[in-house]
Amino acid sequence: WIARLVRDHLRYKDEIMCAAARIIDAVHQSSYSRKNPSGIYHSLHIRRNGFHPQNGFDEISTNEVLKSLSHIDPESALYVATDDVDGEFFKQIKERYKIFFLS
């Protein structure tokens, strides 16, 4: 019943929904290219600080991320939500994909 309660009655404020729509539109527009005429993009949420070993999560490697993305066409656009601070983790991924970060 809680899932139905949330589904049917929980709503974000219009300002939040409009901001999210602007972000989605900006990523979509930036994703257009000759090889991607429809502007399709993929999104990832990669936690790098704060949720791993003490909470039972192991830190994932860049190679594991690349392996999980192997079905996605190289040069595809990726939107990444992360708490990574130095960006070094994404170096290899950037060589294969066009990456967007929200900052």
Side-chain angles (χ1 to χ4, degrees), residues 75-101:
E75 300 185 26
S76 290
L78 298 177
Y79 165 74
V80 179
T82 186
D83 58 353
D84 186 61
V85 290
D86 67 3
E88 194 65 29
F89 179 82
F90 295 98
K91 203 174 209 176
Q92 286 180 293
I93 301 169
K94 286 179 182 179
E95 293 172 4
R96 179 178 257 181
Y97 300 99
K98 183 177 182 180
I99 297 183
F100 300 94
F101 297 96

Side-chain angles (χ1 to χ4, degrees), residues 53-79:
Q54 70 272 22
N55 295 320
F57 293 99
D58 293 329
E59 190 169 302
I60 191 168
S61 72
T62 301
N63 288 332
E64 290 172 304
V65 172
L66 283 169
K67 185 177 176 182
S68 72
L69 296 173
S70 64
H71 67 284
I72 296 176
D73 198 25
E75 300 185 26
S76 290
L78 298 177
Y79 165 74

Side-chain angles (χ1 to χ4, degrees), residues 9-63:
H9 299 289
L10 180 67
R11 299 286 181 259
Y12 289 104
K13 290 183 175 184
D14 286 343
E15 298 85 35
I16 294 172
M17 294 301 291
C18 289
R22 287 192 301 273
I23 292 167
I24 290 168
D25 186 55
V27 172
H28 184 73
Q29 293 297 323
S30 297
S31 300
Y32 283 107
S33 71
R34 188 170 42 84
K35 293 183 179 182
N36 187 9
S38 58
I40 294 172
Y41 66 92
H42 305 274
S43 60
L44 306 170
H45 181 195
I46 299 178
R47 287 214 171 234
R48 301 286 303 148
N49 302 300
F51 241 170
H52 32 77
Q54 70 272 22
N55 295 320
F57 293 99
D58 293 329
E59 190 169 302
I60 191 168
S61 72
T62 301
N63 288 332

